C-alpha cells in the first residue's frame, strides 16, 4: 500500500527514498511486520507513440487530444514533448463521451482506448479504435476497429490501408454503375440484344470484383520502404565480392 499506510501498520519511520517525479506513486512493502522497502510506480509512454503521432500529422490529422481519468500532473508528465493540442485530465466515462460529442462538432473524431471506461466514448466517436491485445473486452466490443497487437504505432498503417480500401471501393462503384448505365442506354436504343446485355453485365460484375480484390494487396508506406538494416548481410555470412 501507500508508504504512509504501510509505515503506520508496521511501525517505525519511513526510509529515505529518491525524489519522485510528477505523477509517480510511492508504494511501501512490509514483510513480517517491518518495512522491507518501497516501490516507485509510474505510467510509461507506449512504445512508438512519437512516431505514431508524427504519422497522424502527416496523414492530415488536425487536432490530437488526450482524454484520461488520471490526474493532470500524471498526464502532463507522460505526454511531455508529444506536441498534443490539449490534455483533458480527471475525466469520468460520461465526461469522455461529452468531449467526443463536442469535438464531433469540429469534424470527424477517432477515439483510441483500451479500458472499460473508454467503451462509451469509443461507441460515441465516428471511429472507435480499441487496443485489443491487453485491453478490456468491453472496449473491443464498443469499437469499430480492434488492434490485435499491443502497439499503438499500428494505427498509422491501419489508416493507410483503410483509405486505400475505400478508394478502391469507390472506384469499383463508380466504374460499375457507369458501365451499367451505358449498357442500359445502348440496349434502350436497340444497339444490344437482351443476351448481349446480360453477357456485358456479367463482364462488368467480374471486372468490378477483380478491381476490388486489389484491396488485398494494399501495403503501408513503411512496408514498401526498405529497412535500414536490409542491405547489411547477417552476422557470420560474408558479402559476395564479384570478380
Amino acid at each position: 500500500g501507500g508508504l504512509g499506510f504501510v509505515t503506520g501498520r508496521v511501525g517505525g519511520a519511513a526510509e529515505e527514498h529518491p525524489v519522485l517525479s510528477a505523477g509517480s506513486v510511492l508504494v511501501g512493502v512490509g514483510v513480517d511486520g517491518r518495512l522491507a522497502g518501497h516501490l516507485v510506480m509510474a505510467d510509461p509512454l507506449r512504445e512508438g507513440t512519437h512516431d505514431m503521432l508524427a504519422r497522424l500529422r502527416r496523414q492530415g490529422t488536425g487536432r490530437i487530444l488526450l482524454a484520461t481519468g488520471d490526474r493532470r500532473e500524471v498526464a502532463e508528465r507522460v505526454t511531455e514533448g508529444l506536441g498534443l493540442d490539449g490534455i483533458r485530465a480527471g475525466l469520468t466515462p460520461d465526461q469522455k463521451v461529452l468531449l467526443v460529442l463536442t469535438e464531433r462538432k469540429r469534424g470527424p473524431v477517432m477515439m483510441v482506448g483500451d479500458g472499460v471506461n473508454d467503451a462509451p466514448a469509443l461507441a460515441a466517436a465516428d471511429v472507435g479504435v480499441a487496443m485489443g491485445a491487453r485491453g478490456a473486452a468491453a472496449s473491443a466490443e464498443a469499437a469499430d476497429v480492434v488492434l490485435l497487437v499491443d502497439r499503438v504505432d499500428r494505427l498509422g498503417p491501419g489508416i493507410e490501408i483503410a483509405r486505400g480500401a475505400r478508394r478502391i471501393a469507390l472506384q469499383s462503384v463508380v466504374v460499375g454503375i457507369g458501365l451499367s448505365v451505358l449498357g442500359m442506354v445502348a440496349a434502350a436504343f436497340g444497339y444490344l440484344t437482351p443476351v448481349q446485355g446480360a453477357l456485358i453485365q456479367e463482364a462488368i460484375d467480374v471486372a468490378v470484383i477483380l478491381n476490388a480484390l486489389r484491396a488485398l494487396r494494399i501495403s503501408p508506406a513503411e512496408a514498401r520502404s526498405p529497412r535500414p538494416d536490409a542491405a547489411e548481410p547477417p552476422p557470420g555470412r560474408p558479402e559476395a565480392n564479384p570478380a
Side-chain angles (χ1 to χ4, degrees), residues 113-144:
D114 61 357
V116 175
N117 293 338
D118 297 325
L122 290 172
D126 294 283
V127 179
V129 181
M131 305 294 294
R134 292 187 296 179
S139 62
E141 292 177 359
D144 303 293

Side-chain angles (χ1 to χ4, degrees), residues 67-162:
T68 177
D70 291 333
R71 301 190 309 275
R72 186 169 188 85
E73 57 268 22
V74 177
E76 290 178 346
R77 180 189 62 80
V78 173
T79 61
E80 184 177 0
L82 292 182
L84 300 179
D85 297 301
I87 298 175
R88 305 293 186 268
L91 299 183
T92 63
D94 292 342
Q95 290 173 329
K96 289 183 179 181
V97 173
L98 181 60
L99 176 62
V100 169
L101 296 178
T102 302
E103 291 297 323
R104 288 186 65 180
K105 298 178 181 179
R106 298 172 177 263
V109 173
M110 179 175 65
M111 169 75 180
V112 183
D114 61 357
V116 175
N117 293 338
D118 297 325
L122 290 172
D126 294 283
V127 179
V129 181
M131 305 294 294
R134 292 187 296 179
S139 62
E141 292 177 359
D144 303 293
V145 180
V146 178
L147 297 180
L148 299 181
V149 293
D150 193 40
R151 293 181 54 185
V152 71
D153 59 343
R154 296 294 87 192
L155 185 60
I159 293 176
E160 290 186 14
I161 293 173

Side-chain angles (χ1 to χ4, degrees), residues 10-240:
V10 302
E15 299 179 358
E16 294 185 0
H17 55 79
V19 178
L20 299 179
S21 59
S24 298
V25 177
L26 188 64
V27 177
V29 179
V31 178
D32 296 332
R34 63 184 183 86
L35 183 65
H38 58 266
L39 301 174
V40 178
M41 296 185 176
D43 290 325
L45 191 64
R46 285 183 181 269
E47 182 181 357
T49 300
H50 288 85
D51 295 337
M52 182 269 293
L53 294 178
R55 190 169 191 164
L56 290 179
R57 297 289 191 188
R58 293 194 300 269
Q59 291 174 341
T61 303
R63 184 172 167 83
I64 302 177
L65 303 177
L66 172 66
T68 177
D70 291 333
R71 301 190 309 275
R72 186 169 188 85
E73 57 268 22
V74 177
E76 290 178 346
R77 180 189 62 80
V78 173
T79 61
E80 184 177 0
L82 292 182
L84 300 179
D85 297 301
I87 298 175
R88 305 293 186 268
L91 299 183
T92 63
D94 292 342
Q95 290 173 329
K96 289 183 179 181
V97 173
L98 181 60
L99 176 62
V100 169
L101 296 178
T102 302
E103 291 297 323
R104 288 186 65 180
K105 298 178 181 179
R106 298 172 177 263
V109 173
M110 179 175 65
M111 169 75 180
V112 183
D114 61 357
V116 175
N117 293 338
D118 297 325
L122 290 172
D126 294 283
V127 179
V129 181
M131 305 294 294
R134 292 187 296 179
S139 62
E141 292 177 359
D144 303 293
V145 180
V146 178
L147 297 180
L148 299 181
V149 293
D150 193 40
R151 293 181 54 185
V152 71
D153 59 343
R154 296 294 87 192
L155 185 60
I159 293 176
E160 290 186 14
I161 293 173
R163 287 178 173 176
R166 181 178 183 273
R167 182 174 60 253
I168 292 174
L170 290 177
Q171 290 174 355
S172 298
V173 170
V174 172
V175 172
I177 293 178
L179 293 177
S180 296
V181 170
L182 290 177
M184 287 187 291
V185 172
F189 284 94
Y191 293 105
L192 295 175
T193 65
V195 174
Q196 291 174 332
L199 293 176
I200 291 176
Q201 183 59 52
E202 292 299 325
I204 293 173
D205 293 341
V206 171
V208 169
I209 292 173
L210 292 177
N211 182 67
L213 291 177
R214 292 170 48 222
L216 299 176
R217 303 179 60 183
I218 298 175
S219 60
E222 66 177 18
R224 296 192 297 268
S225 59
R227 294 172 53 185
D229 57 348
E232 299 180 1
R237 295 181 59 185
E239 296 183 6

